[in-house]
């Protein structure tokens, strides 16, 4: 199943699409675990790594009976432009057999979410406030193509406009950003805009990177093209300490990043088009802008900070 998930991920599969396929292929997911240990009563303590905290998608819901059919999987593959022949032979063989993942359970099941991205954002807010910033939690539902989301966030912060329409940023999110920029909270000129969620990356080259590093690279490109009267720092990091198939957790950029890259002979546009954000940040300033926290053992999706000094 690992090869199948890697293939779908390379086609920008969402967590919902990945879990549809996982639930069909695995006997434990979609309530399978609950069925195996029935009739015992189950208390499931859940750490959410999915936007909105839907229990059936967190770890593919091993203790929540969920029905997924062959047609659901075929439809998901079609959405991702993946043909069944691209899948491992064992998965192709399973798709030839009509079965359902529905798990009927006769036991009592209690599913309780004990940690989520919202919890991480609350902690991040308290820490930023302790550092002298006025924190604003903007959203915990950030999703979409990483580079596009980052570009729109930077445009919304650096060139705020009520008339601008965005594809990946909702009017509510845009409004919260503008409100934070104009807020007189604590009479502080230091603002920290905090975002949570999980974006995706569509691989466009032979590069190496992850969604957080790609967001930072795309943000640096925008910041290098605009003039603002205030200082902006953009930081994107994964909470599990691993951004894509790399040993970095994310990256941080400022308005000086574009100039520094130019001086060091690094073409940010080329690195972005090759989906090569990891190598860009490894080379930039000797790797000082690349974040390496090490594995944390907990995945609560990603956190994006935009620090503003007015």
């Amino acid at each position: 199943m690992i090869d199948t998930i890697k293939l779908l991920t390379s086609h920008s599969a969402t967590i919902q699409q990945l879990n549809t396929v996982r639930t069909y292929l695995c006997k434990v997911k979609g309530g399978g675990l609950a069925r195996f240990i029935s009739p015992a009563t189950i208390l499931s303590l859940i750490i959410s790594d999915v936007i909105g905290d839907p229990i059936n998608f967190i770890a593919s819901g091993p203790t929540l009976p969920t029905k997924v059919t062959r047609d659901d999987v075929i439809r998901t593959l079609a959405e991702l432009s993946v043909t069944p022949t691209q899948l491992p032979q064992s998965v192709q063989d399973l798709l030839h057999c009509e079965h359902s993942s529905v798990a009927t359970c006769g036991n009592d099941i209690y599913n309780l979410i004990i940690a989520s991205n919202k919890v991480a954002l609350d902690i991040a807010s308290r820490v930023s406030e302790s550092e002298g910033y006025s924190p604003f939690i903007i959203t915990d539902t950030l999703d979409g193509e990483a580079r596009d989301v980052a570009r729109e966030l930077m445009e919304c912060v650096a060139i705020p406009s009520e008339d601008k329409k965005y594809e990946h940023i909702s009017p509510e999110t845009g409004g919260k950003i503008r409100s934070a920029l104009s807020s007189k909270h604590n009479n502080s000129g230091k603002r920290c805009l905090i975002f949570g969620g999980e974006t995706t990356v569509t691989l466009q080259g032979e590069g190496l990177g992850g969604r957080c590093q790609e967001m930072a690279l795309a943000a640096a490109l925008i910041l290098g093209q605009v003039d603002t009267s205030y200082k902006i720092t953009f930081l994107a990091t994964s909470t599990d300490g691993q951004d894509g198939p790399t040993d970095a957790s994310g990256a941080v950029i400022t308005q000086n990043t574009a100039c520094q890259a130019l001086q060091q002979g690094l073409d940010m546009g080329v690195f972005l088009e090759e989906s090569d954000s990891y190598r860009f940040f490894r080379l930039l300033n000797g790797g000082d802008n690349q974040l390496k926290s090490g594995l944390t053992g907990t995945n609560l999706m990603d956190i994006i900070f935009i620090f503003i000094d007015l």
Side-chain angles (χ1 to χ4, degrees):
M1 185 162 59
I2 293 177
D3 290 338
T4 299
I5 298 305
K6 285 182 178 179
L7 172 65
L8 301 185
T9 301
S10 71
H11 284 253
S12 295
T14 65
I15 190 68
Q16 290 81 4
Q17 290 169 322
L18 291 175
N19 279 317
T20 294
V21 176
R22 285 186 183 124
T23 299
Y24 187 81
L25 297 180
C26 181
K27 292 182 178 180
V28 173
K29 301 183 184 299
L33 178 62
R35 182 190 61 199
F36 285 137
I37 59 179
S38 179
T41 297
I42 297 173
L43 172 60
S44 184
L45 305 179
I46 301 168
I47 295 177
S48 174
D49 62 348
V50 184
I51 291 175
D53 305 331
I55 293 174
N56 58 315
F57 284 135
I58 303 169
S60 303
T63 57
L64 183 69
T66 305
K67 183 176 182 178
V68 175
T69 67
R70 175 181 179 274
D71 288 343
D72 293 327
V73 176
I74 296 298
R75 183 167 51 252
T76 298
L77 296 177
E79 291 170 354
L80 297 171
S81 299
V82 174
T83 63
T85 55
Q86 293 176 265
L87 302 172
Q89 188 60 51
S90 59
V91 176
Q92 293 184 46
D93 293 342
L94 187 59
L95 286 176
H96 286 306
C97 306
E98 180 59 48
H99 81 280
S100 169
S101 68
V102 65
T104 55
C105 305
N107 44 342
D108 292 328
I109 303 172
Y110 302 93
N111 292 308
L112 178 64
I113 294 176
I114 59 172
S116 66
N117 189 253
K118 289 181 181 179
V119 174
L121 298 189
D122 285 340
I123 295 172
S125 175
R126 293 200 295 269
V127 172
S128 65
E129 189 167 32
S130 72
E131 293 296 323
Y133 285 88
S134 294
F136 298 86
I137 297 177
I138 306 298
T139 182
D140 64 344
T141 61
L142 209 60
D143 64 357
E145 190 69 27
R147 63 181 66 190
D148 296 332
V149 173
R151 285 167 178 160
E152 292 187 1
L153 285 178
M154 281 294 91
E155 288 176 0
C156 194
V157 169
I159 320 169
S161 169
E162 293 185 10
D163 300 324
K164 176 76 173 180
K165 305 297 182 185
Y166 297 101
E167 181 179 352
H168 301 283
I169 297 177
S170 69
E172 180 184 7
T173 295
K176 286 184 176 181
I177 291 174
R178 291 191 299 272
S179 177
L181 291 175
S182 61
S183 171
K184 301 298 183 182
H185 179 66
N186 291 343
N187 293 317
S188 172
K190 300 175 68 175
R191 316 289 165 80
C192 178
L193 280 54
I194 308 172
F195 308 79
E198 191 165 277
T199 59
T200 56
V201 172
T202 301
L203 296 177
Q204 298 185 5
E206 298 299 322
L208 180 65
R211 54 187 178 264
C212 292
Q213 292 167 94
E214 180 144 328
M215 288 187 75
L217 179 53
L221 271 169
I222 293 296
L223 271 185
Q225 298 168 7
V226 298
D227 253 338
T228 64
S229 59
Y230 42 87
K231 179 182 176 182
I232 299 175
T233 300
F234 180 99
L235 186 156
T237 184
S238 59
T239 56
D240 63 0
Q242 183 172 32
D243 185 37
T246 76
D247 61 351
S249 60
V252 58
I253 62 94
T254 69
Q255 284 144 310
N256 298 324
T257 299
C259 183
Q260 293 168 344
L262 182 64
Q263 292 172 347
Q264 296 169 40
L266 302 174
D267 189 323
M268 294 192 298
V270 171
F271 278 96
L272 186 61
E273 287 309 308
E274 288 295 312
S275 299
D276 205 12
S277 56
Y278 176 83
R279 292 190 178 94
F280 172 80
F281 284 110
R282 185 182 65 185
L283 296 170
L284 179 71
N285 297 328
D288 287 347
N289 293 67
Q290 198 166 53
L291 306 176
K292 293 187 178 182
S293 65
L295 297 179
T296 66
T298 301
N299 182 9
L300 301 177
M301 296 184 285
D302 301 332
I303 305 179
I304 296 89
F305 300 88
I306 301 179
F307 299 97
I308 301 169
D309 293 292
L310 298 175

PDB file of all heavy atoms in Angstrom, residues 18-36:
ATOM      1  N   LEU A  18      -6.725  10.176  -0.111  1.00  0.00           N
ATOM      2  CA  LEU A  18      -5.819   9.127   0.368  1.00  0.00           C
ATOM      3  C   LEU A  18      -6.544   8.160   1.292  1.00  0.00           C
ATOM      4  O   LEU A  18      -6.373   6.933   1.196  1.00  0.00           O
ATOM      5  CB  LEU A  18      -4.630   9.749   1.101  1.00  0.00           C
ATOM      6  CG  LEU A  18      -3.629  10.539   0.256  1.00  0.00           C
ATOM      7  CD1 LEU A  18      -2.581  11.183   1.153  1.00  0.00           C
ATOM      8  CD2 LEU A  18      -2.958   9.635  -0.777  1.00  0.00           C
ATOM      9  N   ASN A  19      -7.362   8.693   2.167  1.00  0.00           N
ATOM     10  CA  ASN A  19      -8.037   7.837   3.128  1.00  0.00           C
ATOM     11  C   ASN A  19      -9.133   6.987   2.507  1.00  0.00           C
ATOM     12  O   ASN A  19      -9.433   5.900   2.996  1.00  0.00           O
ATOM     13  CB  ASN A  19      -8.598   8.679   4.283  1.00  0.00           C
ATOM     14  CG  ASN A  19      -7.525   9.019   5.302  1.00  0.00           C
ATOM     15  OD1 ASN A  19      -6.722   8.181   5.676  1.00  0.00           O
ATOM     16  ND2 ASN A  19      -7.506  10.256   5.740  1.00  0.00           N
ATOM     17  N   THR A  20      -9.733   7.473   1.426  1.00  0.00           N
ATOM     18  CA  THR A  20     -10.699   6.647   0.707  1.00  0.00           C
ATOM     19  C   THR A  20     -10.032   5.375   0.204  1.00  0.00           C
ATOM     20  O   THR A  20     -10.564   4.262   0.354  1.00  0.00           O
ATOM     21  CB  THR A  20     -11.298   7.432  -0.476  1.00  0.00           C
ATOM     22  OG1 THR A  20     -12.070   8.517   0.023  1.00  0.00           O
ATOM     23  CG2 THR A  20     -12.192   6.543  -1.332  1.00  0.00           C
ATOM     24  N   VAL A  21      -8.841   5.541  -0.367  1.00  0.00           N
ATOM     25  CA  VAL A  21      -8.113   4.383  -0.897  1.00  0.00           C
ATOM     26  C   VAL A  21      -7.589   3.511   0.237  1.00  0.00           C
ATOM     27  O   VAL A  21      -7.695   2.281   0.191  1.00  0.00           O
ATOM     28  CB  VAL A  21      -6.964   4.853  -1.811  1.00  0.00           C
ATOM     29  CG1 VAL A  21      -6.146   3.671  -2.298  1.00  0.00           C
ATOM     30  CG2 VAL A  21      -7.516   5.645  -2.992  1.00  0.00           C
ATOM     31  N   ARG A  22      -7.030   4.115   1.268  1.00  0.00           N
ATOM     32  CA  ARG A  22      -6.508   3.350   2.413  1.00  0.00           C
ATOM     33  C   ARG A  22      -7.599   2.501   3.049  1.00  0.00           C
ATOM     34  O   ARG A  22      -7.389   1.335   3.395  1.00  0.00           O
ATOM     35  CB  ARG A  22      -5.948   4.305   3.468  1.00  0.00           C
ATOM     36  CG  ARG A  22      -4.609   4.939   3.143  1.00  0.00           C
ATOM     37  CD  ARG A  22      -4.148   5.728   4.344  1.00  0.00           C
ATOM     38  NE  ARG A  22      -2.912   6.438   4.124  1.00  0.00           N
ATOM     39  CZ  ARG A  22      -2.770   7.746   4.289  1.00  0.00           C
ATOM     40  NH1 ARG A  22      -3.797   8.480   4.660  1.00  0.00           N
ATOM     41  NH2 ARG A  22      -1.597   8.325   4.088  1.00  0.00           N
ATOM     42  N   THR A  23      -8.766   3.099   3.239  1.00  0.00           N
ATOM     43  CA  THR A  23      -9.864   2.390   3.903  1.00  0.00           C
ATOM     44  C   THR A  23     -10.282   1.152   3.120  1.00  0.00           C
ATOM     45  O   THR A  23     -10.596   0.111   3.703  1.00  0.00           O
ATOM     46  CB  THR A  23     -11.065   3.338   4.087  1.00  0.00           C
ATOM     47  OG1 THR A  23     -10.658   4.435   4.909  1.00  0.00           O
ATOM     48  CG2 THR A  23     -12.233   2.633   4.746  1.00  0.00           C
ATOM     49  N   TYR A  24     -10.262   1.257   1.812  1.00  0.00           N
ATOM     50  CA  TYR A  24     -10.656   0.124   0.968  1.00  0.00           C
ATOM     51  C   TYR A  24      -9.603  -0.987   0.995  1.00  0.00           C
ATOM     52  O   TYR A  24      -9.940  -2.174   0.984  1.00  0.00           O
ATOM     53  CB  TYR A  24     -10.863   0.602  -0.469  1.00  0.00           C
ATOM     54  CG  TYR A  24     -11.423  -0.461  -1.387  1.00  0.00           C
ATOM     55  CD1 TYR A  24     -12.790  -0.739  -1.406  1.00  0.00           C
ATOM     56  CD2 TYR A  24     -10.597  -1.177  -2.247  1.00  0.00           C
ATOM     57  CE1 TYR A  24     -13.309  -1.705  -2.245  1.00  0.00           C
ATOM     58  CE2 TYR A  24     -11.104  -2.142  -3.098  1.00  0.00           C
ATOM     59  CZ  TYR A  24     -12.466  -2.403  -3.094  1.00  0.00           C
ATOM     60  OH  TYR A  24     -12.977  -3.366  -3.938  1.00  0.00           O
ATOM     61  N   LEU A  25      -8.333  -0.579   1.052  1.00  0.00           N
ATOM     62  CA  LEU A  25      -7.250  -1.559   0.928  1.00  0.00           C
ATOM     63  C   LEU A  25      -6.884  -2.239   2.244  1.00  0.00           C
ATOM     64  O   LEU A  25      -6.301  -3.320   2.236  1.00  0.00           O
ATOM     65  CB  LEU A  25      -5.996  -0.881   0.359  1.00  0.00           C
ATOM     66  CG  LEU A  25      -6.098  -0.293  -1.056  1.00  0.00           C
ATOM     67  CD1 LEU A  25      -4.772   0.333  -1.457  1.00  0.00           C
ATOM     68  CD2 LEU A  25      -6.519  -1.361  -2.061  1.00  0.00           C
ATOM     69  N   CYS A  26      -7.185  -1.605   3.362  1.00  0.00           N
ATOM     70  CA  CYS A  26      -6.706  -2.108   4.658  1.00  0.00           C
ATOM     71  C   CYS A  26      -7.849  -2.675   5.508  1.00  0.00           C
ATOM     72  O   CYS A  26      -8.903  -2.053   5.650  1.00  0.00           O
ATOM     73  CB  CYS A  26      -6.011  -0.972   5.404  1.00  0.00           C
ATOM     74  SG  CYS A  26      -5.344  -1.457   7.014  1.00  0.00           S
ATOM     75  N   LYS A  27      -7.628  -3.830   6.098  1.00  0.00           N
ATOM     76  CA  LYS A  27      -8.653  -4.472   6.923  1.00  0.00           C
ATOM     77  C   LYS A  27      -8.842  -3.794   8.277  1.00  0.00           C
ATOM     78  O   LYS A  27      -9.855  -4.008   8.944  1.00  0.00           O
ATOM     79  CB  LYS A  27      -8.290  -5.950   7.148  1.00  0.00           C
ATOM     80  CG  LYS A  27      -8.362  -6.797   5.887  1.00  0.00           C
ATOM     81  CD  LYS A  27      -8.038  -8.252   6.198  1.00  0.00           C
ATOM     82  CE  LYS A  27      -8.151  -9.117   4.953  1.00  0.00           C
ATOM     83  NZ  LYS A  27      -7.831 -10.542   5.241  1.00  0.00           N
ATOM     84  N   VAL A  28      -7.883  -2.995   8.696  1.00  0.00           N
ATOM     85  CA  VAL A  28      -7.949  -2.345  10.002  1.00  0.00           C
ATOM     86  C   VAL A  28      -8.699  -1.014   9.934  1.00  0.00           C
ATOM     87  O   VAL A  28      -9.387  -0.629  10.882  1.00  0.00           O
ATOM     88  CB  VAL A  28      -6.527  -2.124  10.569  1.00  0.00           C
ATOM     89  CG1 VAL A  28      -6.573  -1.293  11.841  1.00  0.00           C
ATOM     90  CG2 VAL A  28      -5.858  -3.462  10.836  1.00  0.00           C
ATOM     91  N   LYS A  29      -8.603  -0.321   8.801  1.00  0.00           N
ATOM     92  CA  LYS A  29      -9.175   1.013   8.688  1.00  0.00           C
ATOM     93  C   LYS A  29     -10.677   0.949   8.417  1.00  0.00           C
ATOM     94  O   LYS A  29     -11.236  -0.109   8.158  1.00  0.00           O
ATOM     95  CB  LYS A  29      -8.436   1.789   7.598  1.00  0.00           C
ATOM     96  CG  LYS A  29      -6.930   1.913   7.905  1.00  0.00           C
ATOM     97  CD  LYS A  29      -6.200   2.732   6.892  1.00  0.00           C
ATOM     98  CE  LYS A  29      -4.697   2.757   7.163  1.00  0.00           C
ATOM     99  NZ  LYS A  29      -4.355   3.352   8.457  1.00  0.00           N
ATOM    100  N   GLY A  30     -11.335   2.106   8.509  1.00  0.00           N
ATOM    101  CA  GLY A  30     -12.771   2.156   8.272  1.00  0.00           C
ATOM    102  C   GLY A  30     -13.582   1.338   9.260  1.00  0.00           C
ATOM    103  O   GLY A  30     -14.622   0.771   8.926  1.00  0.00           O
ATOM    104  N   GLY A  31     -13.130   1.271  10.510  1.00  0.00           N
ATOM    105  CA  GLY A  31     -13.834   0.505  11.533  1.00  0.00           C
ATOM    106  C   GLY A  31     -13.375  -0.931  11.663  1.00  0.00           C
ATOM    107  O   GLY A  31     -13.899  -1.692  12.495  1.00  0.00           O
ATOM    108  N   GLY A  32     -12.373  -1.308  10.862  1.00  0.00           N
ATOM    109  CA  GLY A  32     -11.893  -2.687  10.900  1.00  0.00           C
ATOM    110  C   GLY A  32     -11.322  -3.094  12.241  1.00  0.00           C
ATOM    111  O   GLY A  32     -11.550  -4.213  12.715  1.00  0.00           O
ATOM    112  N   LEU A  33     -10.594  -2.195  12.884  1.00  0.00           N
ATOM    113  CA  LEU A  33     -10.022  -2.506  14.195  1.00  0.00           C
ATOM    114  C   LEU A  33     -11.123  -2.758  15.217  1.00  0.00           C
ATOM    115  O   LEU A  33     -11.040  -3.699  16.025  1.00  0.00           O
ATOM    116  CB  LEU A  33      -9.122  -1.354  14.654  1.00  0.00           C
ATOM    117  CG  LEU A  33      -8.481  -1.505  16.030  1.00  0.00           C
ATOM    118  CD1 LEU A  33      -7.570  -2.725  16.069  1.00  0.00           C
ATOM    119  CD2 LEU A  33      -7.700  -0.248  16.402  1.00  0.00           C
ATOM    120  N   ALA A  34     -12.166  -1.937  15.183  1.00  0.00           N
ATOM    121  CA  ALA A  34     -13.285  -2.113  16.118  1.00  0.00           C
ATOM    122  C   ALA A  34     -13.957  -3.473  15.913  1.00  0.00           C
ATOM    123  O   ALA A  34     -14.357  -4.132  16.875  1.00  0.00           O
ATOM    124  CB  ALA A  34     -14.297  -0.989  15.929  1.00  0.00           C
ATOM    125  N   ARG A  35     -14.068  -3.890  14.678  1.00  0.00           N
ATOM    126  CA  ARG A  35     -14.688  -5.186  14.392  1.00  0.00           C
ATOM    127  C   ARG A  35     -13.841  -6.320  14.952  1.00  0.00           C
ATOM    128  O   ARG A  35     -14.362  -7.285  15.515  1.00  0.00           O
ATOM    129  CB  ARG A  35     -14.856  -5.347  12.880  1.00  0.00           C
ATOM    130  CG  ARG A  35     -15.549  -6.653  12.456  1.00  0.00           C
ATOM    131  CD  ARG A  35     -15.464  -6.840  10.959  1.00  0.00           C
ATOM    132  NE  ARG A  35     -14.064  -6.911  10.525  1.00  0.00           N
ATOM    133  CZ  ARG A  35     -13.673  -6.699   9.272  1.00  0.00           C
ATOM    134  NH1 ARG A  35     -14.548  -6.359   8.353  1.00  0.00           N
ATOM    135  NH2 ARG A  35     -12.390  -6.792   8.951  1.00  0.00           N
ATOM    136  N   PHE A  36     -12.512  -6.210  14.810  1.00  0.00           N
ATOM    137  CA  PHE A  36     -11.629  -7.282  15.261  1.00  0.00           C
ATOM    138  C   PHE A  36     -11.689  -7.479  16.773  1.00  0.00           C
ATOM    139  O   PHE A  36     -11.519  -8.594  17.262  1.00  0.00           O
ATOM    140  CB  PHE A  36     -10.181  -7.001  14.841  1.00  0.00           C
ATOM    141  CG  PHE A  36      -9.919  -7.225  13.376  1.00  0.00           C
ATOM    142  CD1 PHE A  36      -9.151  -6.327  12.651  1.00  0.00           C
ATOM    143  CD2 PHE A  36     -10.438  -8.334  12.728  1.00  0.00           C
ATOM    144  CE1 PHE A  36      -8.907  -6.528  11.306  1.00  0.00           C
ATOM    145  CE2 PHE A  36     -10.196  -8.541  11.379  1.00  0.00           C
ATOM    146  CZ  PHE A  36      -9.433  -7.636  10.658  1.00  0.00           C
TER     147      PHE A  36
END
